[in-house]
Amino acid sequence: MTTPHRTVAIGSRRYPLYLGSGGLDSVGTIWGALAPTSSAMVIFDDGVAHIAARVARSLDGAGIRVVEAAVAPGEPSKSLGEVERLCRLASTEGIRRSDAVVAVGGGVIGDLAGFIAASYQRGIHLVHVPTTLLAMVDSAIGGKTGVDLPEGKNYVGAIWQPHLVLMDVDALATLPARELSCGFAEIVKYGLLAGPAFVDRIATWPALPGKTEDLVRLIGDCVDQKIAVVVDDEHDLGRRAILNLGHTVGHGIEAAGGYGRYHHGEAISLGLLAALRLSENHLGLDPVWRERTIATLGRHGLPVELDATISVDAVLAAMARDKKAAAGALNMVLISAPGAPLTRQNPDPELVVAAIEELYP
Amino acid sequence: MTTPHRTVAIGSRRYPLYLGSGGLDSVGTIWGALAPTSSAMVIFDDGVAHIAARVARSLDGAGIRVVEAAVAPGEPSKSLGEVERLCRLASTEGIRRSDAVVAVGGGVIGDLAGFIAASYQRGIHLVHVPTTLLAMVDSAIGGKTGVDLPEGKNYVGAIWQPHLVLMDVDALATLPARELSCGFAEIVKYGLLAGPAFVDRIATWPALPGKTEDLVRLIGDCVDQKIAVVVDDEHDLGRRAILNLGHTVGHGIEAAGGYGRYHHGEAISLGLLAALRLSENHLGLDPVWRERTIATLGRHGLPVELDATISVDAVLAAMARDKKAAAGALNMVLISAPGAPLTRQNPDPELVVAAIEELYP
């Protein structure tokens, strides 16, 4: 991994994005050549301590002093209490404005460490080393960072673009199958946003993760697609909303399940199907796309039927809480065909209910 | 107060700055005309509840729903705990991404409420209504926000430019004399940065606050000077450092006194004198400027002699902690003449000690 996949330019930030196999041991030399950083704080998910250790060794080998900070896996770590603990550790350990935070983990770590990088001494360097498929195709790109409040997810955060992103698919070797599938749900989303050719390519995807070269190319295509949307709307005021395809109902299902019944990608799997059903009613989307999506999701272990213990009312109530926080209107992303998304304000409530009801077995 | 003093353009943000007498009752109409905000969270210093009430009435009169949040006066309110409390209140009260935080108070409130505006739902509108002279000439301009950690001041924060700043000198009518003087210390700093004419103008300033029109013009000139520096260096990587004239030793004195013995402006008063003494040794500054500065500061009740119970070692230790956090080098702003500042890296330690020692009676 000696040359970057591409240079990313978002807002006033330009940074290289590396993508491939074997880069975990090159983080130190790559970062050392980019910025004159004397120290780095490696904030990592305790579940991938073995990967963090490789990254730390690599930084150390490049003459960069490493401060290691383990974080418990799971959403509860995205808290202001954890921000305070880690910022205090950073200052006790002498991390300076010119130093870097290196995030090693999935979306939770990226969001938490990203917000710390954005806020510690009003902002320091940030390096993302995503270790889940979901983080690679989604959360490591775009600069959204933040932590949760009891009142809602990501209620306190910042837009803070990284200074380097390094994606090594070797990190996925030890990722549980369920988490690989969760990342795949976001890839299916990108397919529906991109167009029929991308949908076809995903429809024939073998067992996850698949051949390394093919997986690297697939991740790269998703990343490019996300960047293309984000560069036009860094602060999420317009077009970036299309990336929420499947997320309106998906978030509702995730919350209604208490964030335990369904992991994020699983809730998105169901949310995508609801959005496609609604797209049929509102925009005349050909039902064949939903049938094919059900087949693709199901083949990779993603849920295509909603647990009967989760009621439509519970999902709608969670969606209403989201809506209240966001803008007052219920915005849903629909597609008239793969590759043709649009944002629909306040879709017919009865049709929304019907789309969720159709998820039950 | 019907037309702005000026438009401020920093980074990608452009906003109007109002300055004058009687604007507190116009916040609602001015803000209502600027942005389609349905609600505003007024975060205010409990010590200026009477001013916050006027601002709230004004917003309410413009059809903007007001959520009021009182904050205890003083530096301890700049904490992550307070950020969490206020963000939870914001979400419970239904404050949305399109709404605004209105900060009514001095530097503490501006820093705290500014960081909340920067972070709540990844950033919402921010209106500064500074109520102290110090906040008007300094902290309400430039976008620095943040809270403290036990390890240091402003260790967690953001650069977040406001969307409107409204300075009404009527707010100063109830400001304690000691706080007026503290603001004046920063004005003396601007004089030394600006040049001999500004120094002369300040040297003849009558008892604070002085005639309203003159005070408004003086504040405006300080504000313009700060903006001129900040526009070139929003993220404080270069020239913005000159605004730290008097602050290196000043912060050391403030910390060595446990933040109780000297208020910020008082510590800056002493820090300015130390910086001038060092400027004489390093840059051959004419001693007449220090003599005149001592007279000006003293005439407005600011300390010009350091309390003998605060040792040089305590001041140096606090400066070393600052230095460690910042960049590893001790940077001090010196002037070769009024209007000619420069940053000096690692000034002669013996001369620094001598400059502090000279502060004792």
Side-chain angles (χ1 to χ4, degrees):
Chain A
M1 207 185 279
T2 48
T3 54
H5 166 65
R6 62 174 289 173
T7 297
V8 183
I10 298 177
S12 58
R13 186 96 81 233
R14 282 177 67 84
Y15 66 88
L17 186 151
Y18 287 78
L19 167 62
S21 169
L24 288 174
D25 303 310
S26 307
V27 177
T29 49
I30 292 173
W31 178 243
L34 268 180
T37 300
S38 62
S39 302
M41 183 167 183
V42 177
I43 300 178
F44 65 97
D45 185 314
D46 216 13
V48 294
H50 59 292
I51 298 175
R54 278 176 69 181
V55 171
R57 259 197 311 276
S58 162
L59 290 162
D60 185 65
I64 297 166
R65 182 177 71 103
V66 173
V67 175
E68 293 186 69
V71 171
E75 192 75 22
S77 288
K78 280 177 58 178
S79 70
L80 277 172
E82 198 67 354
V83 170
E84 180 153 27
R85 178 180 77 84
L86 293 167
C87 284
R88 291 191 63 178
L89 178 65
S91 59
T92 306
E93 293 285 346
I95 297 292
R96 295 174 188 160
R97 250 181 90 186
S98 53
D99 293 329
V101 164
V102 180
V104 181
V108 166
I109 292 294
D111 285 0
L112 171 67
F115 185 52
I116 289 166
S119 307
Y120 181 70
Q121 300 208 2
R122 297 201 190 95
I124 68 174
H125 293 109
L126 173 62
V127 177
H128 276 308
V129 182
T131 63
T132 68
L133 185 56
L134 189 77
M136 289 182 189
V137 298
D138 189 33
S139 55
I141 301 294
K144 284 192 179 177
T145 73
V147 297
D148 304 334
L149 293 180
E151 287 74 18
K153 286 180 75 169
N154 300 316
Y155 264 33
V156 180
I159 302 284
W160 191 252
Q161 301 298 337
H163 298 74
L164 167 66
V165 174
L166 189 142
M167 303 182 178
D168 183 346
V169 292
D170 294 1
L172 305 179
T174 52
L175 192 69
R178 186 173 178 184
E179 293 311 314
L180 270 180
S181 296
C182 277
F184 198 74
E186 292 282 353
I187 293 175
V188 171
K189 179 194 80 176
Y190 283 114
L192 293 165
L193 291 173
F198 206 136
V199 172
D200 286 347
R201 180 173 162 200
I202 295 167
T204 57
W205 198 263
L208 289 169
K211 257 177 73 179
T212 297
E213 311 90 271
D214 293 346
L215 183 64
V216 165
R217 208 169 308 118
L218 183 67
I219 293 170
D221 290 344
C222 292
V223 160
D224 291 347
Q225 209 184 130
K226 176 151 186 182
I227 292 168
V229 173
V230 171
V231 287
D232 287 338
D233 183 22
E234 183 184 11
H235 292 280
D236 199 7
L237 304 170
R239 185 169 154 71
R240 189 164 178 168
I242 65 160
L243 297 172
N244 286 332
L245 179 66
H247 283 62
T248 310
V249 173
H251 279 162
I253 290 173
E254 197 180 359
Y259 297 98
R261 173 64 187 85
Y262 292 113
H263 289 192
H264 179 71
E266 294 167 343
I268 297 313
S269 175
L270 292 161
L272 285 171
L273 296 177
L276 294 180
R277 185 71 191 85
L278 201 60
S279 298
E280 292 167 13
N281 276 321
H282 268 295
L283 302 175
L285 173 71
D286 187 333
V288 71
W289 297 110
R290 187 161 54 100
E291 287 155 27
R292 293 183 60 184
T293 303
I294 289 173
T296 303
L297 293 168
R299 211 153 44 75
H300 293 286
L302 286 159
V304 294
E305 291 181 344
L306 179 56
D307 187 332
T309 64
I310 294 178
S311 72
V312 175
D313 284 349
V315 176
L316 291 172
M319 286 167 62
R321 278 196 300 275
D322 257 11
K323 175 187 103 172
K324 189 180 157 201
L330 180 69
N331 293 312
M332 278 190 68
V333 182
L334 305 179
I335 61 172
S336 57
L342 57 81
T343 301
R344 174 98 189 194
Q345 274 212 349
N346 294 320
D348 185 331
E350 285 185 28
L351 294 179
V352 174
V353 169
I356 298 169
E357 277 175 346
E358 199 144 332
L359 294 172
Y360 293 107
Chain B
M1 207 186 279
T2 48
T3 55
H5 166 65
R6 61 174 290 172
T7 298
V8 183
I10 298 177
S12 59
R13 185 96 81 235
R14 282 176 68 86
Y15 66 88
L17 186 151
Y18 286 78
L19 167 62
S21 167
L24 288 173
D25 303 310
S26 308
V27 177
T29 48
I30 292 173
W31 178 242
L34 269 180
T37 300
S38 61
S39 302
M41 183 166 182
V42 177
I43 300 178
F44 65 98
D45 185 314
D46 215 13
V48 293
H50 59 293
I51 299 174
R54 277 176 68 180
V55 171
R57 259 197 310 276
S58 161
L59 290 162
D60 185 65
I64 297 166
R65 182 178 69 104
V66 173
V67 176
E68 291 187 70
V71 172
E75 192 75 21
S77 288
K78 280 177 58 177
S79 70
L80 277 171
E82 199 66 356
V83 171
E84 181 154 26
R85 177 180 79 84
L86 293 167
C87 283
R88 292 190 64 179
L89 178 65
S91 60
T92 306
E93 293 285 347
I95 297 292
R96 296 174 189 161
R97 251 181 89 187
S98 53
D99 292 330
V101 164
V102 180
V104 181
V108 165
I109 291 295
D111 285 0
L112 170 67
F115 185 53
I116 289 166
S119 308
Y120 181 70
Q121 300 209 3
R122 297 200 189 96
I124 69 173
H125 294 109
L126 172 63
V127 177
H128 276 308
V129 182
T131 62
T132 68
L133 186 56
L134 189 78
M136 289 184 190
V137 297
D138 189 33
S139 56
I141 302 293
K144 285 193 179 177
T145 74
V147 297
D148 305 332
L149 293 180
E151 287 74 18
K153 286 180 74 169
N154 300 316
Y155 264 35
V156 180
I159 302 283
W160 190 254
Q161 302 299 338
H163 297 74
L164 167 66
V165 174
L166 188 141
M167 302 181 178
D168 183 346
V169 292
D170 294 0
L172 305 179
T174 52
L175 192 67
R178 187 173 178 183
E179 293 311 315
L180 270 179
S181 297
C182 278
F184 198 73
E186 293 282 352
I187 293 175
V188 171
K189 179 194 80 175
Y190 284 115
L192 293 166
L193 291 174
F198 206 136
V199 172
D200 286 346
R201 178 174 164 200
I202 296 168
T204 57
W205 199 263
L208 289 168
K211 256 177 75 180
T212 297
E213 311 90 89
D214 293 345
L215 183 65
V216 165
R217 206 170 309 117
L218 183 67
I219 294 170
D221 290 344
C222 292
V223 159
D224 290 348
Q225 209 184 130
K226 177 153 186 181
I227 292 167
V229 173
V230 172
V231 287
D232 287 337
D233 183 22
E234 184 183 12
H235 292 281
D236 200 7
L237 304 170
R239 183 169 155 73
R240 188 162 177 170
I242 66 160
L243 297 173
N244 286 331
L245 179 66
H247 283 61
T248 311
V249 172
H251 279 162
I253 290 173
E254 197 180 358
Y259 296 99
R261 173 63 186 85
Y262 292 113
H263 289 193
H264 179 71
E266 294 167 343
I268 297 314
S269 175
L270 292 161
L272 285 171
L273 296 177
L276 294 181
R277 185 71 190 82
L278 203 59
S279 298
E280 292 167 13
N281 275 321
H282 268 296
L283 301 175
L285 173 70
D286 187 334
V288 71
W289 297 111
R290 186 161 54 98
E291 286 156 27
R292 294 183 60 184
T293 304
I294 289 173
T296 304
L297 293 168
R299 211 153 45 75
H300 292 287
L302 286 159
V304 294
E305 290 181 345
L306 179 56
D307 188 333
T309 63
I310 295 179
S311 72
V312 175
D313 283 351
V315 176
L316 291 172
M319 286 167 61
R321 279 196 299 277
D322 257 12
K323 175 188 104 173
K324 190 179 156 202
L330 180 68
N331 293 313
M332 277 189 69
V333 182
L334 305 179
I335 61 171
S336 57
L342 57 81
T343 301
R344 173 100 189 193
Q345 273 211 350
N346 293 320
D348 185 331
E350 286 185 28
L351 295 179
V352 174
V353 169
I356 299 170
E357 277 175 344
E358 199 143 334
L359 294 172
Y360 292 108

